[in-house]
Amino acid sequence: MEKIYLAALQMVSGIGNSRLRSLVSFFGSAEQAWHAKQHDLSSCGILDESIFNKLIIHREKIDIYTLAYDWEKKGIKICCTNDTNYPKLLLNTFNVPPALYYRGVLPRTDQLIAIVGARKASSYGKNIAQLLAAELAEAGFWVVSGAARGIDTAAHQGALSKGYTIAVLGCGVDVDYPPENRKLLNHIAECGAVVSEYAPGTLAHPGHFPARNRIINGLSRGVVVVEAAEKSGALITADFALEEGRDVFAVPGSIFSESSKGTHRLIKQGAKLVDSAEDILEEYNLMKVKKGPQMLEFTSDEVKVYESLNYDFPIGIEEIVMKTKLEAGMITYILLQFELRGLAVEHNGRRYLRIAKEGIK
């Protein structure tokens, strides 16, 4: 029950990580701090009057056992810094979260790599994020990201296709944010972990995301930035990585793209340029498993449709009709088959993009 008391204290507005550690140290445990007499709480020198009053009201409203039961029903677990499964890399960072809330299973390895980037990502950016994540997961890495729209979502999806991933949230682990990623977050909880330092029920707030980014970095041996404007959350994560001595990788983009200016600046500052998973794996003396050529059997019509697609810009059915001279119904059927085979993906309403596949002849 000590973890629940720790969580209950943390839920009080104004009791951050530093105050929480001080309270536990002063009273000997979170449980004793929770049950401390009002006089002792007011005189301990840790809480100002406003936070003290919030704690007293909070204690009267919260039933610890009901709280524990509700979280257990939702599959929410708590990991504290003295637990054996607390992520080792995160322990060695600034402002370590005293407690992590999570759904799923925390990794027993330090082979974690973060992939982050723009929310308003291009098709090129999402494609490369998904590809890198899949190849890193296949090589044994857990891919860490923030479950945001754009690059984060693509990275999680790519990792899930080959292995495991961790989503770090700027809200409670029982809050679906962004809302359209509800199914994705549930899938991640089944094949990895959904993690947060914020108590269940905490809504997303802009002020939470820089703190969320420090945890993404803290969990990871390195951070890969795929598309980032000159001022972006992804660059905040990269800055945390540099401060903590973690590796920083960046994927180049078009010199005309605003969403590549941040990644190009990182490269100029010394981040390793990445154009394949091998560039990352070699930093950790790991090699991608070499496979024989992937011989795909295409019909003549499938060849026409596949060759009309590209990796950078999604194209619509009408444009494919013009290129291939095939009927729209046949093209739609072929594209569906490509999606099922992992050869293409739909973007922005019936516009399709080729997914990079090694060994396609």
Side-chain angles (χ1 to χ4, degrees):
M1 291 298 290
E2 173 70 8
K3 295 179 182 181
I4 300 295
Y5 285 108
L6 190 74
L9 287 169
Q10 193 180 37
M11 292 168 70
V12 178
S13 176
I15 297 184
N17 293 342
S18 178
R19 281 197 176 97
L20 185 60
R21 282 189 284 264
S22 297
L23 282 171
V24 172
S25 176
F26 184 88
F27 289 102
S29 71
E31 182 176 0
Q32 288 177 297
W34 179 264
H35 291 300
K37 295 179 181 179
Q38 292 190 23
H39 171 74
D40 294 333
L41 284 169
S42 63
S43 61
C44 70
I46 300 170
L47 308 176
D48 61 31
E49 184 178 357
S50 172
I51 299 173
F52 166 78
N53 290 331
K54 290 176 183 176
L55 174 54
I56 299 306
I57 294 170
H58 184 65
R59 289 199 309 187
E60 293 173 354
K61 290 182 177 180
I62 294 292
D63 181 279
I64 292 293
Y65 292 94
T66 300
L67 194 67
Y69 177 72
D70 288 344
W71 289 354
E72 185 178 4
K73 278 201 308 181
K74 293 180 179 179
I76 298 170
K77 291 161 273 191
I78 306 172
C79 181
C80 298
T81 52
N82 57 353
D83 290 336
T84 57
N85 64 334
Y86 195 93
K88 298 297 186 293
L89 290 174
L90 188 59
L91 273 176
N92 299 315
T93 57
F94 172 73
N95 193 18
V96 178
L100 287 178
Y101 305 90
Y102 67 100
R103 292 191 295 129
V105 179
L106 295 175
R108 294 285 186 175
T109 176
D110 66 355
Q111 296 288 78
L112 279 72
I113 199 88
I115 297 180
V116 297
R119 285 177 170 81
K120 295 181 179 179
S122 69
S123 299
Y124 159 78
K126 287 184 280 191
N127 200 10
I128 193 64
Q130 191 166 350
L131 175 66
L132 287 175
E135 294 185 345
L136 289 169
E138 190 173 29
F141 273 93
W142 286 53
V143 175
V144 184
S145 200
R149 300 176 178 96
I151 297 300
D152 290 16
T153 293
H156 289 306
Q157 290 169 335
L160 287 170
S161 71
K162 298 292 184 180
Y164 302 96
T165 185
I166 297 178
V168 185
L169 307 185
C171 55
V173 295
D174 57 341
V175 176
D176 298 321
Y177 188 84
E180 63 267 26
N181 276 356
R182 179 179 181 180
K183 288 184 178 179
L184 176 63
L185 289 169
N186 287 334
H187 191 183
I188 292 171
E190 296 171 356
C191 300
V194 178
V195 174
S196 178
E197 67 175 320
Y198 299 105
T202 304
L203 299 179
H205 184 276
H208 294 169
F209 292 103
R212 183 275 310 263
N213 293 343
R214 107 184 177 284
I215 293 178
I216 291 175
N217 162 69
L219 288 166
S220 310
R221 297 181 68 177
V223 175
V224 184
V225 181
V226 183
E227 290 195 330
E230 287 189 288
K231 294 182 180 180
S232 69
L235 294 188
I236 294 174
T237 308
D239 287 341
F240 280 130
L242 291 171
E243 290 172 7
E244 297 288 352
R246 307 292 167 87
D247 300 314
V248 177
F249 307 90
V251 175
S254 167
I255 62 172
F256 303 109
S257 170
E258 289 296 321
S259 61
S260 292
K261 291 188 180 299
T263 51
H264 291 170
R265 177 163 66 82
L266 287 174
I267 293 168
K268 290 176 184 177
Q269 293 173 339
K272 182 172 181 177
L273 186 152
V274 169
D275 62 17
S276 70
E278 284 90 340
D279 295 328
I280 301 165
L281 294 173
E282 70 180 9
E283 289 294 308
Y284 305 107
N285 297 316
L286 298 171
M287 294 297 293
K288 183 180 175 185
V289 177
K290 294 294 183 182
K291 297 180 179 180
Q294 192 175 4
M295 302 303 292
L296 298 174
E297 295 184 6
F298 281 167
T299 66
S300 59
D301 288 345
E302 286 176 335
V303 170
K304 293 177 183 178
V305 174
Y306 188 75
E307 291 181 346
S308 72
L309 302 175
N310 64 70
Y311 297 119
D312 299 317
F313 303 104
I315 64 173
I317 302 290
E318 291 182 0
E319 188 173 348
I320 299 173
V321 168
M322 292 176 63
K323 287 184 174 183
T324 64
K325 311 303 181 185
L326 297 173
E327 293 183 0
M330 174 59 73
I331 291 170
T332 300
Y333 173 78
I334 291 173
L335 289 170
L336 175 60
Q337 299 306 307
F338 283 174
E339 286 189 272
L340 294 173
R341 294 163 69 181
L343 300 174
V345 64
E346 182 180 355
H347 280 271
N348 303 322
R350 302 200 76 191
R351 297 182 66 80
Y352 294 84
L353 189 73
R354 185 192 295 190
I355 295 178
K357 284 280 184 181
E358 193 173 359
I360 291 177
K361 299 293 185 180

